[in-house]
Amino acid sequence: MASFSESSETPPPDALPPHSPSLTIPKSTDPPPLSTPLSPGQRKLASQMQRIAKIASKIEDPWAKYDMGKLKLEKIKRHQYNPDTDSWSTDESIVRVQTTPFDEGAMRQCYRLKKLSQLPKDATNHSFHAIDWNRAPNYVAKTYKTEDGSVNTSEEGREACFGDIKLQYEAAKWAHEFNSCNPPKKIHIIRAYAIEFVDREKSPIMTVERFIEGTDEYGVGYVKHNTNSGFVDHDMNRLTPQIFSAYSFYSSEGTRMVVDIQGVGDLYTDPQVHSI
């Protein structure tokens, strides 16, 4: 069973920002000019980032065996949701995605995908061919199933993908409120967005999240703690995921419940929200 001692935790870089009516998602800021001396805290953070970068550079790509650098390059449009304004913003990038799903659930199928990081708007070097794709970030792209197993291009499938992104942000809102109660283990929900394959016929949409790898502090990897159909994991006997689901139900006075809790440690991905 997991330990429930108090701990101070920092959200992972892909965790969704908290959202509530009184909270505005902070905008990213530029680093200080080179002529500005770094504060002790900034120097410590820079040192930590350098150390993390050195460690990351030595980690082998878990998807290297799939040789995804040889897959077809595809241009995509990324759709990101802003819950504060209930609006969408878009930018563009390039991806390589497998044509055969590696996993599937009751309603969706999953594809391995690599995507380049977004270039700054003032970037002058757009030579994507020079990128080492084996070091590009790993993502999981999901699309709703069709009878013949192809990528869903229907209008219903597109709208369902956008709806899933909104639900993920609602789940993040409940996670933020749960964390504000100062539980022994704070939780984080990974960021998700939609991508549109602009050069494919009918421009299909997929939802995309960073691939979660590794293990938690106890050496346990990816775990599904409960589902949206009633399953509850009793082998791991983790309390935090189940309490979070219960919290969302009671705090919403029975109108919402965040379920399908899964991930590594308390970094969760792809939750669902039941409502009445």
Side-chain angles (χ1 to χ4, degrees):
M1 180 183 293
S3 169
F4 289 94
S5 59
E6 293 285 344
S7 62
S8 174
E9 301 184 33
T10 301
D14 269 327
L16 286 174
H19 166 64
S20 67
S22 61
L23 184 65
T24 301
I25 297 175
K27 295 182 179 179
S28 60
T29 57
D30 292 330
L34 295 178
S35 58
T36 302
L38 295 178
S39 68
Q42 289 174 321
R43 287 197 297 270
K44 181 178 179 180
L45 177 61
S47 177
Q48 290 175 336
M49 293 301 293
Q50 289 176 352
R51 179 176 58 83
I52 292 172
K54 289 181 180 179
I55 294 174
S57 66
K58 297 178 182 179
I59 297 177
E60 294 185 4
D61 179 10
W63 289 358
K65 59 185 176 182
Y66 302 113
D67 206 9
M68 295 184 63
K70 294 183 179 179
L71 295 175
K72 176 184 176 182
L73 281 171
E74 295 192 72
K75 181 180 178 181
I76 58 98
K77 180 184 294 184
R78 181 173 66 163
H79 299 264
Q80 297 187 93
Y81 179 63
N82 184 333
D84 288 325
T85 59
D86 190 25
S87 61
W88 296 85
S89 62
T90 62
D91 54 24
E92 296 181 342
S93 187
I94 294 178
V95 302
R96 297 182 190 268
V97 58
Q98 291 182 328
T99 57
T100 303
F102 72 92
D103 199 5
E104 64 180 35
M107 300 177 63
R108 293 181 296 175
Q109 50 199 20
C110 308
Y111 298 82
R112 294 184 181 90
L113 176 145
K114 281 183 174 288
K115 183 184 76 67
L116 294 183
S117 299
Q118 309 307 121
L119 289 172
K121 292 183 179 180
D122 59 352
T124 58
N125 182 8
H126 294 265
S127 301
F128 291 111
H129 66 276
I131 299 297
D132 180 2
W133 280 89
N134 288 328
R135 294 193 176 278
N138 295 330
Y139 292 83
V140 176
K142 299 178 181 179
T143 181
Y144 281 86
K145 288 183 176 179
T146 58
E147 291 184 0
D148 61 2
S150 61
V151 174
N152 194 320
T153 59
S154 69
E155 188 62 30
E156 293 80 6
R158 293 171 61 91
E159 291 302 317
C161 287
F162 286 116
D164 287 340
I165 303 301
K166 288 188 173 183
L167 283 179
Q168 195 132 333
Y169 273 88
E170 181 179 351
K173 166 186 172 292
W174 289 114
H176 172 61
E177 293 187 8
F178 177 78
N179 289 340
S180 69
C181 297
N182 198 29
K185 292 287 187 179
K186 289 183 169 57
I187 65 175
H188 308 289
I189 294 178
I190 201 167
R191 184 188 305 271
Y193 47 82
I195 62 171
E196 180 179 3
F197 290 86
V198 295
D199 292 330
R200 292 191 189 185
E201 185 178 359
K202 298 184 179 180
S203 301
I205 295 282
M206 292 185 181
T207 58
V208 172
E209 298 172 316
R210 285 290 291 266
F211 172 67
I212 303 178
E213 58 182 302
T215 60
D216 64 12
E217 57 189 306
Y218 306 103
V220 178
Y222 194 96
V223 176
K224 183 181 281 287
H225 300 286
N226 60 42
T227 68
N228 52 5
S229 59
F231 166 80
V232 174
D233 175 65
H234 294 292
D235 294 331
M236 290 297 301
N237 203 25
R238 283 293 314 280
L239 297 182
T240 300
Q242 315 305 345
I243 292 173
F244 171 52
S245 290
Y247 172 86
S248 63
F249 178 78
Y250 288 110
S251 293
S252 66
E253 298 182 346
T255 63
R256 296 287 191 275
M257 177 179 278
V258 183
V259 293
D260 214 11
I261 308 299
Q262 56 194 306
V264 176
D266 289 306
L267 175 60
Y268 303 151
T269 178
D270 198 23
Q272 299 295 309
V273 182
H274 283 180
S275 62
I276 59 172

